Amino acid sequence: MTQLHSRPASSASMLRSGHASLKHKPFASPRTMRPGVQRCVCQATHVETDTSQQTIHTDKRQQMTRQEEVSAQPAPRSPFNTGSMDITTAGATASLCGHAIPAEKTIVILRHGMTTWNEEQRIQANSEGSELTIHGQAQAVRCRDALAHMQFDSCFSSPIRRARSTTEIIWQGQGRDSPCIFLDSLKEAHLGWMEGMKQAEAATNHREDFATWRERPAEFNFDGRYPLLEVFDRAAEAWKEILEAPGSNHLVVTHKSMMRAFLCTALALPPTSFRAVDIHNGGVSIFRVNKRGEAMLTNMNMTSHMHHDDIFY
């Protein structure tokens, strides 16, 4: 039984905040619960259990009665784990690294916080001209707090400033000792002449090219380059680098287009499916990967931590 720690909140507010899996009525606060009532969570569903009369059968000959209080300690692993990796992901996708890995892995991926160019509706792409806003920094802090109870062996990040700044707030802000590795393969798509341009300007002055990028991104090209295909190639490269790293739990901080490609690559979706998923600033996604290197997406674009305090993944 896994415990999920969060403040009481209505199911409607949780659904609005992106936590669609929490769809039952709210549970009572530990301060207001009746004596003998335990808060517990099974598969991310809140259930109240009266333990004052609960009998636990240890075997056919012994019985014992117990009362339990809600533990203040976090669960050792994410409450969204669903069972044996060998059963739940066997054959779901091809191996992302092409060979067996020593242990199952949990990969937590998040998008950087809000930036100046996000607010100005400028095309960021691979540019270094954008930086985190005050709100974006606060989003990074919320990500840091939401991940505080997860044990990571290492962190991988895009070296572009907005992602690097988000990583520094999350990783260094927690005083983690394990390494943080900046990978060029996690950089955002390179969009050439569009970088730094306002979207409205691009739509007006470069209508055909901009429409291609927005509606058929796999076909968009300039100077003989196909940016989306390059991003998919780098996503495959990044997956391989991360899965071959020592340890079993890794944090990844990157960009919207790269996260889309990362998700599509793991789920064997083609570049034409690129816009089938969306990722918000600070949105958290979680993959579990079995020993064959096959990935299972357990959670995508979680944003409850952006709207509620004391949300832990």
Side-chain angles (χ1 to χ4, degrees):
M1 185 175 295
T2 308
Q3 295 176 343
L4 176 66
H5 307 282
S6 69
R7 288 183 176 176
S10 69
S11 59
S13 66
M14 287 185 173
L15 290 173
R16 285 196 300 270
S17 67
H19 219 311
S21 62
L22 305 182
K23 53 190 177 183
H24 290 266
K25 66 180 182 179
F27 49 81
S29 164
R31 297 179 181 177
T32 60
M33 282 193 292
R34 305 189 310 275
V37 174
Q38 175 191 5
R39 180 184 69 182
C40 63
V41 178
C42 298
Q43 303 299 336
T45 299
H46 301 298
V47 181
E48 283 192 359
T49 305
D50 188 342
T51 59
S52 60
Q53 301 298 323
Q54 181 180 7
T55 300
I56 300 175
H57 297 273
T58 57
D59 57 33
K60 294 181 179 179
R61 296 167 297 176
Q62 296 181 344
Q63 293 182 344
M64 60 180 293
T65 302
R66 68 176 184 180
Q67 288 185 334
E68 294 181 345
E69 295 181 354
V70 177
S71 172
Q73 298 299 319
R77 298 191 67 181
S78 165
F80 306 105
N81 286 355
T82 56
S84 168
M85 288 295 295
D86 286 338
I87 296 173
T88 56
T89 66
T93 60
S95 173
L96 292 169
C97 55
H99 56 77
I101 55 178
E104 297 173 359
K105 289 180 180 280
T106 298
I107 311 296
V108 178
I109 316 167
L110 64 89
R111 184 186 175 194
H112 61 76
M114 179 71 70
T115 69
T116 52
W117 284 11
N118 284 147
E119 289 188 342
E120 296 171 10
Q121 296 188 342
R122 293 186 183 274
I123 299 169
Q124 299 183 109
N126 204 38
S127 172
E128 288 281 6
S130 182
E131 61 184 2
L132 294 184
T133 63
I134 296 299
H135 180 58
Q137 294 173 18
Q139 287 179 322
V141 170
R142 283 191 167 272
C143 289
R144 179 195 69 193
D145 294 346
L147 300 174
H149 293 162
M150 296 193 74
Q151 302 299 317
F152 292 108
D153 297 298
S154 58
C155 173
F156 296 88
S157 172
S158 160
I160 295 177
R161 178 164 59 167
R162 57 191 184 273
R164 180 185 287 267
S165 297
T166 301
T167 301
E168 289 171 351
I169 291 172
I170 295 172
W171 201 249
Q172 297 177 6
Q174 289 182 345
R176 301 209 184 231
D177 296 327
S178 45
C180 184
I181 302 161
F182 295 92
L183 297 179
D184 286 342
S185 56
L186 290 174
K187 285 184 175 181
E188 182 59 295
H190 177 51
L191 295 180
W193 55 266
M194 278 202 291
E195 294 181 5
M197 189 177 295
K198 286 193 173 183
Q199 299 208 28
E201 179 186 353
T204 301
N205 299 335
H206 306 274
R207 182 175 302 175
E208 185 176 342
D209 285 338
F210 185 71
T212 300
W213 169 245
R214 297 295 299 175
E215 299 169 14
R216 303 182 309 281
E219 298 176 19
F220 175 76
N221 67 91
F222 67 93
D223 297 336
R225 298 179 64 170
Y226 286 78
L228 187 61
L229 303 186
E230 292 178 356
V231 167
F232 268 67
D233 287 343
R234 288 193 285 106
E237 178 185 343
W239 265 117
K240 192 171 187 296
E241 290 181 90
I242 293 165
L243 293 183
E244 290 179 346
S248 58
N249 297 289
H250 306 290
L251 175 65
V252 179
V253 182
T254 185
H255 310 269
K256 185 174 186 176
S257 291
M258 175 52 67
M259 284 192 70
R260 282 172 157 173
F262 215 73
L263 291 164
C264 287
T265 300
L267 300 177
L269 297 174
T272 51
S273 298
F274 173 72
R275 296 201 186 277
V277 296
D278 197 14
I279 304 293
H280 298 152
N281 292 107
V284 175
S285 299
I286 301 177
F287 276 95
R288 296 178 65 199
V289 183
N290 65 20
K291 292 182 180 180
R292 290 182 292 277
E294 300 165 343
M296 176 179 68
L297 177 63
T298 60
N299 304 89
M300 189 182 83
N301 195 33
M302 295 188 293
T303 56
S304 292
H305 58 288
M306 293 297 177
H307 308 281
H308 304 281
D309 296 333
D310 301 328
I311 297 292
F312 303 121
Y313 298 130

